Amino acid sequence: MKTLRNKLGTIVGCAALIAATGCEQGDAPTVTRSAPTEAASSTDALDITPTTSFAEVNQLRPDFVDEVMSLQPVRGRDRNFRFSQPSFAQAAAMPVIFHRLVDLEEPQINRVALAGALRTNRGPWQEIALELLGTETDNAVRVGLMRSLASAQPEVLARAAELGLQDTDARVRDWGAQAAVRLFANYGGEGASETLSLRLVERLKDEDPGVRATSVRALSFTEQPIHVDAMAGLLTDDDPITRLAAVDALVRLDANQAKTLLEAANVAGDPDARVARAAKRL
Amino acid sequence: MRSRRWLTICTSLSLVAGGLSACGKDGGGSDDGGADAGTAGETGGDGDGDGDGESWALDNIYGVTNRDDDDANGKPDWMDPPFAGDDDLTPLTFSAAMLNSMGSTDVARLTLNGDLAGIRIWGGGDGAPLLGANSGSPEVSSLDLSLDQMENLSVEFIDYMVSSTLTVERVADDGTTLESTEVTVAGSPLILNHHLQPSERYWVVSVNFGGGSNNASMIMDYQDLFGEAFSSVSGNIYGGDVWIQDEVEFGTQVGSSGERQDVIIDSIRDRGLDNFAEDTADTIFAVDTWGPTGTGNSCDSFGNLEITPPVTVDGVEYPFGRIYYGDGGVGCRVTEELRTFLDAQKVQAPIETDTSWLCVGHVDEFSTFIPDPDSEKGFKFLYADTGEAWALLETMDPDTELPRYLDTHGHGTVGEILTDNELRTRNDGIQANYLDPILAQYKAEFGLTDDDIILIPSLFEQCGGPGYNVALIPGTPNLIVANEDGGTKLIVPDPYVRTDDNDQASDPFIADFVARMPASYGAGDVVFTDDWYVYHANLGEVHCGTNVQRTPDMPKWWEAAAHLVD
């Protein structure tokens, strides 16, 4: 973590910055229409690189840094907290996000939300987030990081999927499998090692049904029929969502072969209406 | 309770469920003992048409629950003795003919059978109730009244849909029953509001989350449209909890003497807005909660509790519509107490549908009803459809930049959405596995035909685990219906499928939405408001962030929905 902290710049003065802003969430202003603030908009012109430090951004745009340092996550309709403010999408926010993310005095809820906020940040955050994923000890923060990395570009996506699939936390493995879905579905598996498919096959037996479901979906985009038998094993999974994912995945891979497999497993007679319907659509 | 008409039973009712009123007919003061006691469900009278006995008749009594706080003493009024300002008791008034029929030594014998703990009858004086709840231990179920005690009686209901029979006999001093009548005495059901009813008040929570995220624009739109009928609720007071649709649901009870009791169902979600119901109730509303407070899951929010307009299904009329809510799967279901209660109200016969594919799990995320006065049924049903969205996106220049989507979803252009194969296959699965089957269920349960349905272009993206999704394009069916004197307005989330935030005219999704609306919607009737950063980016939309109180049409449910209650 020491190396990373050096990259991101010192965290000394963080608390002082928060105190200085004095900004709390409260009533909406009554005169302006919602739009990114001037401070946020003008920072797009900054040339943010992976090595741009918090101190550099703070020197160039102290007002913007004050703003991003002061923001608190918003509780969504699903009860989870997010940094959904548009300022977080600005590239210049990237060093500030990492600055807060590695500050262990930041509340855990904030750190989780900060990790998730990287997903839509326009800065070059991906390599740093991947490095953090390998060192972060808080499970929930790793979930946030992996969720962001699941939307990364292919050069990072493959490595993120590999790392995520081996995580001890099922939610991270699930997002790791989702990274593999995107890699194979959107980028033809660009940059994927031979072991990635094998890891996905291993995850078909994961203890977590969500991981099994996402892994079978990922395999359906690999265009590797060699894994069909392993995938078909999930047609009789205990979890109905996993069975449904298996039906969809097999059909996507090879509809004709899927029909035979589904008939053999009598999926049309599945006790879950959603699974049975999916089988009957063939 | 709202303004109340203190009418006598005889003048306020005519034909009622369970009995035909003979009020107004002067049967004279027969005390010859020739009238037989009525049987259950019948009114009195001997049926020979000569008038004797027909004077001894009452109509069924349906009343509202006395659970509001008219004296503002912090207790529901049913916990207090009757007081001058308590306007939720139903008068038990005997007709002049009945009173005239009483001989000097006769008594009126009142016998209450059924739910004695949920109903009580008060006399004109102070003290304990005459019959029913709190009248004694056990509850008094029968009582003789002299002529001078037959005035200023009233019935109080403690709970919804409680039911008893009240037998009123004229008894001679030798114990002979001279005349008898039996009526139903029941608490009215709670009827929830639907989108065809007039709007009275609107609420939105005002917040500024900083960093360019506030709802000032949406607040301004509501103020411009609805003026004093709109209330901006301070987010500071309620912890920045903007999901006001989820916290409370409005309903109404209507009594047979014209009583109206507005009720706020206070959700057990218990987030920042937990006290909103109590703060808003004043002395007008009763506030009720079903389920253990603080145990709510997402499906206990009232964006997941919606009501159709009046529908007819396989010949069965639902004059107050039907309730529908989602089953969000493991750990996400409307609390059993509320489901049981809503089932017990009967008149809006609830159905449950599958919302397990959504992160939030609410039915308002993908469907709604809007008025359409030109159609036979008076409404249209808006329903999300992913195929329509892909088709519309295909018509756009793929290089069209989408700054809002880049900020929140990571898609910078239309082309990036179109070429996102993961997104496309996800939405294909949602359509086939969920949207299509749910629409089939709705058509069957609500009696909908294809002509009643308007498909709305919609796309969803993953937001949680593998099977959980949320609107990518703001869920435009997640809208507010405002029925004002001048007509209906729809407040719709701005989809921002365009480059220039300020140029709604350039947005093909806006043009498409307006074009799909019924012809009765003119220019300016569909208002697209900015809910992006405060609501959409936090998994909700305009409907989730607004609540509306509506005017009931004071339905005589005991007539219109008798077939559903029996």
Side-chain angles (χ1 to χ4, degrees):
Chain A
M1 201 58 121
K2 188 177 179 183
T3 304
L4 189 65
R5 283 178 190 242
N6 287 342
K7 254 185 209 174
L8 300 172
T10 177
I11 61 169
V12 174
C14 176
L17 271 173
I18 293 172
T21 61
C23 184
E24 301 284 343
Q25 62 185 45
D27 290 346
T30 54
V31 291
T32 57
R33 297 261 169 185
S34 170
T37 61
E38 184 184 346
S41 303
S42 61
T43 55
D44 263 350
L46 293 179
D47 183 21
I48 303 297
T49 72
T51 56
T52 304
S53 71
F54 172 82
E56 288 172 280
V57 178
N58 192 30
Q59 186 175 19
L60 290 168
R61 298 295 304 177
D63 49 350
F64 175 73
V65 169
D66 280 359
E67 178 183 273
V68 179
M69 285 296 294
S70 70
L71 294 175
Q72 295 300 309
V74 177
R75 200 170 188 189
R77 205 182 188 198
D78 62 344
R79 298 176 180 242
N80 290 322
F81 288 89
R82 291 177 183 77
F83 282 104
S84 52
Q85 297 90 338
S87 292
F88 280 88
Q90 303 298 316
M94 185 200 83
V96 189
I97 293 172
F98 280 121
H99 179 83
R100 294 182 66 177
L101 181 54
V102 299
D103 179 2
L104 298 181
E105 291 183 10
E106 190 83 43
Q108 193 228 21
I109 283 174
N110 291 13
R111 296 183 66 232
V112 173
L114 287 160
L118 289 167
R119 184 170 67 101
T120 54
N121 182 270
R122 294 169 201 166
W125 55 268
Q126 302 183 3
E127 291 284 354
I128 304 171
L130 187 60
E131 188 177 344
L132 257 183
L133 179 66
T135 57
E136 176 61 51
T137 56
D138 187 296
N139 289 0
V141 175
R142 287 205 312 282
V143 174
L145 286 167
M146 190 61 237
R147 181 179 185 184
S148 286
L149 285 163
S151 64
Q153 293 304 302
E155 54 269 26
V156 173
L157 202 52
R159 285 180 285 149
E162 288 261 11
L163 196 54
L165 283 167
Q166 299 174 75
D167 200 275
T168 55
D169 188 286
R171 297 165 298 173
V172 180
R173 295 198 299 277
D174 188 10
W175 281 108
Q178 177 61 14
V181 171
R182 285 195 69 247
L183 182 69
F184 288 112
N186 290 357
Y187 303 110
E190 180 183 336
S193 69
E194 290 182 4
T195 59
L196 183 55
S197 294
L198 296 176
R199 292 212 187 283
L200 288 168
V201 173
E202 287 173 12
R203 295 276 69 83
L204 296 179
K205 294 181 178 175
D206 196 284
E207 62 184 19
D208 183 86
V211 178
R212 298 196 296 271
T214 310
S215 296
V216 77
R217 184 163 185 251
L219 285 167
S220 74
F221 292 106
T222 63
E223 300 180 355
Q224 295 177 12
I226 190 172
H227 303 307
V228 162
D229 287 345
M231 295 164 67
L234 295 188
L235 292 174
T236 54
D237 195 276
D238 290 341
D239 176 60
I241 298 302
T242 303
R243 297 200 299 275
L244 181 59
V247 172
D248 285 345
L250 289 164
V251 170
R252 185 178 300 115
L253 202 57
D254 184 336
N256 288 329
Q257 190 177 9
K259 189 171 184 179
T260 305
L261 292 167
L262 267 56
E263 286 173 355
N266 188 29
V267 181
D270 193 283
D272 188 281
R274 295 166 295 192
V275 182
R277 272 197 308 262
K280 289 172 185 169
R281 277 201 304 272
L282 263 182
Chain B
M1 195 187 80
R2 299 246 158 189
S3 61
R4 174 183 185 184
R5 293 187 285 277
W6 190 269
L7 304 178
T8 65
I9 292 169
C10 287
T11 55
S12 63
L13 296 179
S14 53
L15 189 65
V16 293
L20 182 66
S21 169
C23 289
K25 292 183 180 178
D26 185 0
S30 170
D31 60 354
D32 60 7
D36 295 330
T39 55
E42 296 177 347
T43 58
D46 58 8
D48 64 7
D50 64 4
D52 70 336
E54 290 186 358
S55 64
W56 196 260
L58 288 171
D59 288 313
N60 293 332
I61 298 171
Y62 304 103
V64 302
T65 55
N66 198 11
R67 297 165 78 93
D68 60 355
D69 188 14
D70 288 326
D71 57 355
N73 69 349
K75 292 190 298 183
D77 291 339
W78 64 267
M79 297 179 72
D80 298 319
F83 52 90
D86 189 351
D87 56 2
D88 300 299
L89 278 66
T90 303
L92 172 56
T93 307
F94 299 105
S95 67
M98 292 179 82
L99 298 174
N100 290 338
S101 72
M102 290 285 289
S104 59
T105 58
D106 292 347
V107 295
R109 178 165 298 159
L110 277 58
T111 304
L112 194 63
N113 283 309
D115 190 354
L116 300 187
I119 297 171
R120 54 193 172 198
I121 295 177
W122 294 91
D126 296 334
L130 302 179
L131 296 172
N134 307 112
S135 58
S137 181
E139 295 95 348
V140 178
S141 61
S142 187
L143 183 75
D144 290 348
L145 300 177
S146 61
L147 178 61
D148 61 350
Q149 293 173 314
M150 292 176 70
E151 293 183 338
N152 300 319
L153 303 180
S154 58
V155 186
E156 184 174 29
F157 298 91
I158 296 173
D159 212 345
Y160 307 86
M161 296 296 276
V162 290
S163 184
S164 293
T165 57
L166 176 65
T167 304
V168 183
E169 299 167 284
R170 182 161 68 88
V171 180
D173 58 359
D174 63 357
T176 305
T177 297
L178 305 174
E179 296 181 278
S180 177
T181 187
E182 182 178 283
V183 294
T184 296
V185 178
S188 296
L190 180 60
I191 298 176
L192 306 185
N193 298 327
H194 60 71
H195 286 177
L196 267 55
Q197 296 171 211
S199 319
E200 290 185 356
R201 294 173 71 185
Y202 309 83
W203 292 269
V204 172
V205 178
S206 169
V207 290
N208 180 10
F209 294 136
S213 176
N214 66 70
N215 60 355
S217 176
M218 189 165 119
I219 296 274
M220 196 182 304
D221 285 339
Y222 273 97
Q223 284 170 336
D224 290 348
L225 287 165
F226 307 121
E228 292 183 356
F230 169 70
S231 296
S232 174
V233 179
S234 171
N236 274 344
I237 296 173
Y238 294 107
D241 181 6
V242 297
W243 312 109
I244 198 166
Q245 177 68 222
D246 291 341
E247 183 59 37
V248 294
E249 183 79 18
F250 292 100
T252 304
Q253 280 185 294
V254 174
S256 52
S257 293
E259 306 94 330
R260 168 183 170 181
Q261 176 63 68
D262 289 322
V263 177
I264 302 176
I265 304 180
D266 188 3
S267 165
I268 59 172
R269 69 191 276 275
D270 291 352
R271 287 174 55 176
L273 281 162
D274 187 27
N275 291 329
F276 175 73
E278 290 81 0
D279 295 345
T280 305
D282 198 2
T283 59
I284 295 174
F285 296 94
V287 178
D288 265 322
T289 296
W290 284 269
T293 56
T295 64
N297 59 69
S298 181
C299 289
D300 285 310
S301 297
F302 294 147
N304 191 38
L305 181 63
E306 294 297 312
I307 300 90
T308 76
V311 292
T312 301
V313 186
D314 296 332
V316 178
E317 292 183 17
Y318 296 89
F320 310 112
R322 297 191 69 178
I323 290 169
Y324 58 108
Y325 50 77
D327 174 0
V330 177
C332 189
R333 199 173 181 203
V334 175
T335 184
E336 183 178 2
E337 286 87 341
L338 184 56
R339 281 186 280 125
T340 301
F341 170 77
L342 294 173
D343 284 342
Q345 306 310 292
K346 297 184 178 178
V347 297
Q348 292 180 302
I351 70 152
E352 190 169 35
T353 196
D354 184 3
T355 53
S356 64
W357 52 286
L358 293 162
C359 267
V360 179
H362 296 179
V363 290
D364 72 347
E365 296 181 73
F366 59 97
S367 62
T368 197
F369 287 87
I370 63 168
D372 177 16
D374 296 334
S375 72
E376 185 181 349
K377 292 180 180 175
F379 65 79
K380 285 286 188 287
F381 180 55
L382 308 191
Y383 193 75
D385 188 280
T386 63
E388 296 288 324
W390 292 117
L392 188 53
L393 286 168
E394 299 279 3
T395 68
M396 296 181 68
D397 179 352
D399 292 330
T400 304
E401 293 184 352
L402 304 173
R404 292 278 180 138
Y405 289 78
L406 185 60
D407 270 4
T408 302
H409 301 288
H411 295 94
T413 65
V414 168
E416 287 181 23
I417 295 177
L418 285 170
T419 58
D420 187 336
N421 194 38
E422 189 281 331
L423 185 70
R424 190 178 287 264
T425 55
R426 171 176 296 279
N427 278 274
D428 290 348
I430 290 170
Q431 188 71 48
N433 294 325
Y434 297 102
L435 286 172
D436 288 344
I438 294 169
L439 184 57
Q441 180 195 12
Y442 282 171
K443 288 168 86 169
E445 300 278 15
F446 303 154
L448 303 177
T449 67
D450 288 342
D451 287 343
D452 302 324
I453 299 165
I454 298 175
L455 298 178
I456 300 297
S458 306
L459 289 182
F460 300 86
E461 66 171 356
Q462 183 176 5
C463 59
Y468 295 108
N469 304 279
V470 71
L472 169 64
I473 298 170
T476 43
N478 194 326
L479 53 76
I480 284 296
V481 174
N483 298 316
E484 300 278 300
D485 288 342
T488 296
K489 292 195 183 306
L490 305 178
I491 320 302
V492 185
D494 188 331
Y496 284 106
V497 191
R498 61 181 185 272
T499 302
D500 183 353
D501 271 11
N502 299 315
D503 184 15
Q504 289 190 338
S506 68
D507 194 322
F509 275 69
I510 286 181
D512 177 86
F513 186 94
V514 172
R516 289 171 190 257
M517 292 300 103
S520 59
Y521 289 82
D525 290 338
V526 184
V527 177
F528 291 88
T529 194
D530 180 2
D531 79 342
W532 190 278
Y533 292 111
V534 169
Y535 301 97
H536 174 69
N538 293 302
L539 314 193
E541 307 288 355
V542 171
H543 183 259
C544 320
T546 310
N547 218 316
V548 182
Q549 186 198 355
R550 299 180 187 277
T551 311
D553 52 5
M554 298 299 284
K556 294 182 177 178
W557 61 267
W558 53 92
E559 296 176 356
H563 59 292
L564 300 173
V565 176
D566 290 342

